[in-house]
Amino acid sequence: MSRFLRACRREPVDRTPVWFMRQAGRSQPEYRALRERYTLLEICARSDLVAEVTLRPVEQLGVDAAILFADITVPLLGMGVAFELHDGTGPRIHRPVRAQADVAALRPFEPEATIDALLGGVALVRRASPVPLIGFAGAPFTLGSYLIEGGPSREFLQTKAMMRGSPALWQALMERLTEATIAYLSRQVAAGVQAVQLFDSWVGCLSPADYRASVAPYMRRIFASLRPLGVPAIHFGTGTAGLLREMAEAGGDVIGVDWRVGLAEAWAQIGDRAIQGNLDPSALLGPSGVVRSQAAAVLAQAAGRAGHIFNLGHGVLPDTPQDHLHGLVEFVHNYRHEAAEVRA
């Protein structure tokens, strides 16, 4: 079994496994060249391109896991949602969901119409990749916030207004998105992904009480549905230092954390779980010595505990030099040796 999968299960590993969110994409010159010819959704509609983009960081960086190249909005296509993706700003929903009729207009998720090419990419990656493949999906709250707000938001005012003021409408939308997420991830596992990650990118805007009442029940249902499939599940959000206890209770074999909380503090909240994180992505824009020192601080907090997967606290930034990413992978893999040299 790979060191990444062993770490997910809190088993001993020979070296700390490392991979990066958004390791495939905007920071890669080859990907930017590809985007001059294809939109993101056009890439997702071609199995060969999905595999090409997914595999490139494995070949170039030496990471311990690949993550399927896609966008968290892809399942919305299978629900009949019309939207556009704008580089740097995210999705723009043509018809935001604000009323019961809007929820009723959402189709049950139709995977065959939208993700056949993506699943074909899974098969291609599995044949070629020397490391495990992670599938992923956006969590219902994050997808729901896009649908309600009409796109990205800072304050999530419309989302919170529905959640608190129209609980029946909120429940109907969350149930639709929960079922779609379960179907989407189940299809990925059946196609061959060896772990999954749920991105609840914007749930950090909520209080613990709102999370427990309005988000946790749906997350529990998703993780309970995934458990019989036998693959590790990673539960990740940003700005969630105040929600980690609630997120761990909702489910996930691995809890992903951002840089706003120390690993020791996070572990105290999540208990007997593996943990993923948590270097600030902006550190990679600085000198290589700064990258190493900040990475060493993260690894020192992990203190060799079983179940640590090194990652960034969010995705790789577009201006990140590829040699910094490659150097960081080598540093993490050789941490014990280099740390000894520093002490000497």
Side-chain angles (χ1 to χ4, degrees), residues 43-342:
I43 293 173
C44 293
R46 283 188 48 176
S47 299
D48 59 333
L49 296 182
V50 168
E52 176 186 334
V53 179
T54 299
L55 287 166
R56 187 172 291 117
V58 176
E59 298 162 353
Q60 294 182 346
L61 303 178
V63 289
D64 294 296
I67 183 163
L68 183 65
F69 181 81
D71 188 81
I72 65 171
T73 58
V74 165
L76 299 181
L77 293 171
M79 301 178 73
V81 177
F83 65 91
E84 298 172 359
L85 284 179
H86 296 278
D87 290 344
T89 60
R92 292 294 172 186
I93 307 299
H94 292 178
R95 183 183 175 184
V97 173
R98 304 281 173 80
Q100 188 64 50
D102 300 324
V103 175
L106 297 173
R107 297 197 305 256
F109 178 58
E110 298 175 355
E112 291 80 7
T114 50
I115 62 169
D116 275 356
L118 207 59
L119 300 181
V122 170
L124 293 176
V125 172
R126 283 299 310 273
R127 286 200 289 269
S129 178
V131 298
L133 174 61
I134 305 168
F136 76 93
F141 176 85
T142 290
L143 290 179
S145 73
Y146 286 138
L147 290 175
I148 296 165
E149 304 288 341
S153 173
R154 288 177 178 266
E155 303 295 335
F156 301 93
L157 299 181
Q158 296 280 355
T159 304
K160 292 179 180 181
M162 182 189 293
M163 186 177 68
R164 296 167 180 154
S166 303
L169 181 57
W170 175 260
Q171 180 181 354
L173 177 59
M174 288 297 101
E175 287 180 348
R176 289 288 187 97
L177 292 171
T178 296
E179 292 304 317
T181 302
I182 291 170
Y184 183 46
L185 289 174
S186 298
R187 289 299 185 102
Q188 292 182 49
V189 174
V193 303
Q194 294 145 287
V196 296
Q197 175 160 310
L198 267 166
F199 284 84
D200 215 349
S201 304
W202 310 130
V203 78
C205 73
L206 296 180
S207 69
D210 280 336
Y211 183 92
R212 285 192 296 269
S214 301
V215 175
Y218 308 103
M219 298 302 287
R220 280 197 293 269
R221 190 189 310 174
I222 292 170
F223 286 114
S225 297
L226 294 174
R227 196 170 300 119
L229 303 182
V231 300
I234 306 167
H235 190 174
F236 171 76
T238 59
T240 54
L243 298 177
L244 292 177
R245 195 179 308 276
E246 286 74 18
M247 290 175 66
E249 290 174 355
D253 303 290
V254 184
I255 304 299
V257 298
D258 69 14
W259 64 96
R260 299 173 181 90
V261 61
L263 290 185
E265 180 184 347
W267 245 317
Q269 294 188 64
I270 70 172
D272 193 23
R273 306 288 176 98
I275 199 165
Q276 179 175 281
N278 64 337
L279 182 69
D280 185 338
S282 68
L284 282 155
L285 304 180
S288 57
V290 171
V291 177
R292 289 193 298 270
S293 66
Q294 295 210 7
V298 171
L299 290 161
Q301 289 181 57
R305 288 177 62 169
H308 177 225
I309 300 160
F310 190 98
N311 207 312
L312 306 181
H314 204 194
V316 174
L317 296 169
D319 295 332
T320 303
Q322 292 295 291
D323 60 337
H324 282 198
L325 288 169
H326 184 267
L328 178 56
V329 172
E330 288 190 339
F331 180 81
V332 172
H333 283 166
N334 297 315
Y335 172 70
R336 290 191 181 88
H337 170 70
E338 294 195 34
E341 287 184 348
V342 170

